[in-house]
Amino acid sequence: MAAYDAIVMGTGQAGPSLAFRLAGTGMKVAVIERHLVGGTCVNTGCTPTKALVASAYAARIARRAAEYGVVIGGDIGIDMQRVKARMDAIVAASRNGLTSALENAANITLYRGHARFASLQAVEIAGQRLRAGRIFINVGGRALVPPMPGINEVPYLTNSSMMDVDFLPHHLIIVGGSYIGLEFGQMYRRFGSQVTIIEMAPRLVRHEDEDVSAAIKDIIEREGVNVRLNAKCISLVKRSDEIVANVDCTAGAPEVAGSHLLLAIGRQPNTDDLDLDKAGVRCDERGYIVVDDQLQTTAPGIWALGDCNGKGAFTHTAYNDFEIVAANLLDHGPSRRVSERVTAYALYIDPPLGRVGMTLAEARNSGRRVLAGERPMTRVARAVEKGETQGFVRILVDGDSKEILGASLLGTGCDEAVHVILDLMYAKVSYTIMQRAMHIHPTS
């Protein structure tokens, strides 16, 4: 049995960073990865999809070149093999860099294979048992494949297998109208595919405010994406060379026929094959590992970080999990807790949505006296000058404390601008601080 001071299971955003911190204190650390170093973000999430988004944006701007007085001779074409090659190169550089860093770091041993718990302080991998007094689970999640009728009778893609696509689907059917579905839907429409998004709910990204959802729908529909809402009953069938989705919608044709199918319905944690029960680690009814406010599991000496704990589904929440655990274990300042962080994320359609804190509906339901300030992007000088005026911004303020409660920023550059508001929320200061600051024109 190989003995270590700590074992890190998984190499997503939290695992390697924590391993480096622990090893830097002199601890002997085992890092285990059963598939690709870097996890979802590097291999099938943020890095590759944003590379694709960039290619799709370039195609969009090229087609609009005449609006800016730029003349391009000939038609705008898309070489999907070159698009994929660019994406692959970016991913490989990130993955290989992280792999090399782990392999060459002092006090870290990188194991490849599928680890399972053998007991509270031991895991088994490829017939070898590793033991440590501290174990950190960072195994991430995967695409959810629901048991809808016909799902086993048709070929389908997920966010992971979409990374292997080096061709242009004639008609891409996407089941799911949230982050993954919307990003892939817009980008493949810009590449030249016909795209239909099918959503069971009455609106897209249903956890956003209704007017935000409506604005997002308008943005993608203006580019030719077909949206089908209220699809209460979806079934699938293979018909000749087509995939047919039968939909029970309140409006529109009862079926959608396409060449390819992408499932973008949600995610599930990779916790079902770890033998967690042998260590006393409890999961909830959805398979997420139960953790406390400092990310400790129900088993002493075991922590869960990243997507597998259900406390966040983003790269930045996983990295913040690392920061919380590392601070509590290694630093000598005040303890850090998950409950201290402010909700923050972005939807990387074009223009993007930047979101922090409460929605307007949540703020109103909280019982607070809410002040709301809004401005359409048609009144933002930078947006007008760039020719990208879709969307609007909304900032919510507590009418009594004057602290910012949340914001929904939908427009060009809003995925970056939102951080100004996020920082003020962490500082817990009045919105007048931002009001009195001098910002750079014409971005402000």
Side-chain angles (χ1 to χ4, degrees):
M1 178 183 294
Y4 290 89
D5 296 305
I7 296 172
V8 177
M9 301 173 64
T11 59
Q13 288 302 299
S17 297
L18 182 59
F20 291 132
R21 277 292 315 268
L22 296 173
T25 68
M27 291 188 193
K28 186 180 177 183
V29 183
V31 177
I32 305 171
E33 176 53 58
R34 61 175 159 184
H35 190 35
L36 298 174
V37 171
T40 296
C41 178
V42 168
N43 296 287
T44 61
C46 312
T47 300
T49 57
K50 300 317 165 274
L52 292 174
V53 166
S55 292
Y57 180 75
R60 170 73 168 171
I61 290 298
R63 293 191 183 101
R64 296 181 59 201
E67 298 178 29
Y68 300 89
V70 177
V71 179
I72 297 178
D75 295 332
I76 303 300
I78 302 295
D79 185 336
M80 287 302 297
Q81 292 187 346
R82 292 177 65 181
V83 168
K84 183 178 184 301
R86 176 182 180 273
M87 174 195 72
D88 287 342
I90 295 171
V91 169
S94 182
R95 180 174 60 240
N96 294 341
L98 179 56
T99 302
S100 177
L102 288 169
E103 290 176 338
N104 293 293
N107 299 323
I108 293 178
T109 302
L110 177 61
Y111 289 84
R112 299 299 194 113
H114 181 185
R116 297 175 183 269
F117 277 91
S119 66
L120 176 64
Q121 295 186 338
V123 300
E124 290 185 347
I125 173 173
Q128 185 175 8
R129 182 167 291 197
L130 312 181
R131 184 178 182 85
R134 292 170 172 171
I135 300 177
F136 305 91
I137 307 171
N138 179 222
V139 294
R142 63 187 185 274
L144 175 66
V145 180
M148 62 178 61
I151 189 64
N152 295 321
E153 310 302 322
V154 300
Y156 60 82
L157 297 158
T158 66
N159 71 292
S160 295
S161 54
M162 282 296 290
M163 299 302 102
D164 298 323
V165 173
D166 63 355
F167 57 90
L168 193 63
H170 173 66
H171 183 179
L172 180 62
I173 300 173
I174 300 175
V175 179
S178 193
Y179 313 102
I180 295 173
L182 290 169
E183 289 178 16
F184 275 111
Q186 186 186 53
M187 78 169 70
Y188 270 88
R189 180 59 190 151
R190 289 181 168 189
F191 288 146
S193 295
Q194 183 179 347
V195 176
T196 300
I197 294 177
I198 300 173
E199 169 58 49
M200 296 182 67
R203 55 192 176 90
L204 300 173
V205 280
R206 54 185 168 182
H207 53 276
E208 304 296 344
D209 285 315
E210 290 189 21
D211 54 354
V212 174
S213 294
I216 290 171
K217 180 173 180 286
D218 180 65
I219 287 169
I220 64 171
E221 285 185 329
R222 284 176 180 267
E223 295 191 31
V225 176
N226 185 29
V227 177
R228 300 293 304 275
L229 302 174
N230 292 295
K232 298 300 183 184
C233 182
I234 304 172
S235 62
L236 304 162
V237 66
K238 191 80 166 64
R239 181 186 301 164
S240 186
D241 293 333
E242 292 185 317
I243 298 170
V244 179
N246 296 298
V247 292
D248 182 14
C249 297
T250 55
E255 67 177 34
V256 178
S259 60
H260 295 80
L261 173 67
L262 168 62
L263 298 181
I265 299 173
R267 307 280 290 172
Q268 66 182 85
N270 292 325
T271 58
D272 51 338
D273 55 1
L274 303 179
D275 290 343
L276 293 171
D277 56 311
K278 293 183 179 179
V281 176
R282 187 166 65 86
C283 294
D284 65 16
E285 64 280 359
R286 297 182 299 164
Y288 291 101
I289 296 174
V290 176
V291 294
D292 64 15
D293 208 19
Q294 295 183 317
L295 300 169
Q296 297 184 67
T297 71
T298 52
I302 300 179
W303 291 256
L305 304 85
D307 294 5
C308 67
N309 64 24
K311 297 296 184 180
F314 304 101
T315 295
H316 51 278
T317 52
Y319 189 81
N320 186 241
D321 284 356
F322 144 67
E323 293 178 315
I324 291 170
V325 171
N328 292 336
L329 288 178
L330 305 175
D331 299 336
H332 302 292
S335 63
R336 295 184 61 173
R337 300 177 180 277
V338 177
S339 57
E340 295 171 345
R341 67 187 178 203
V342 177
T343 299
Y345 55 87
L347 169 62
Y348 291 99
I349 58 169
D350 176 38
L353 170 70
R355 273 274 293 109
V356 293
M358 296 181 176
T359 63
L360 179 58
E362 290 169 341
R364 286 172 171 167
N365 291 336
S366 71
R368 293 175 172 83
R369 189 167 66 91
V370 181
L371 306 177
E374 298 182 4
R375 180 180 290 261
M377 294 304 289
T378 53
R379 292 184 57 198
V380 175
R382 186 74 182 278
V384 173
E385 292 147 5
K386 291 180 67 176
E388 300 177 358
T389 57
Q390 292 177 297
F392 68 96
V393 299
R394 174 189 293 136
I395 300 177
L396 308 174
V397 170
D398 186 303
D400 298 316
S401 71
K402 307 305 181 186
E403 291 183 12
I404 298 175
L405 298 174
S408 298
L409 312 184
L410 177 62
T412 182
C414 284
D415 53 331
E416 300 292 345
V418 73
H419 292 97
V420 176
I421 298 169
L422 182 61
D423 290 343
L424 287 175
M425 292 180 69
Y426 274 107
K428 298 183 182 300
V429 296
S430 169
Y431 76 95
T432 57
I433 298 295
M434 181 171 64
Q435 189 180 56
R436 297 180 64 177
M438 183 184 71
H439 295 141
I440 299 170
H441 181 81
T443 296
S444 59

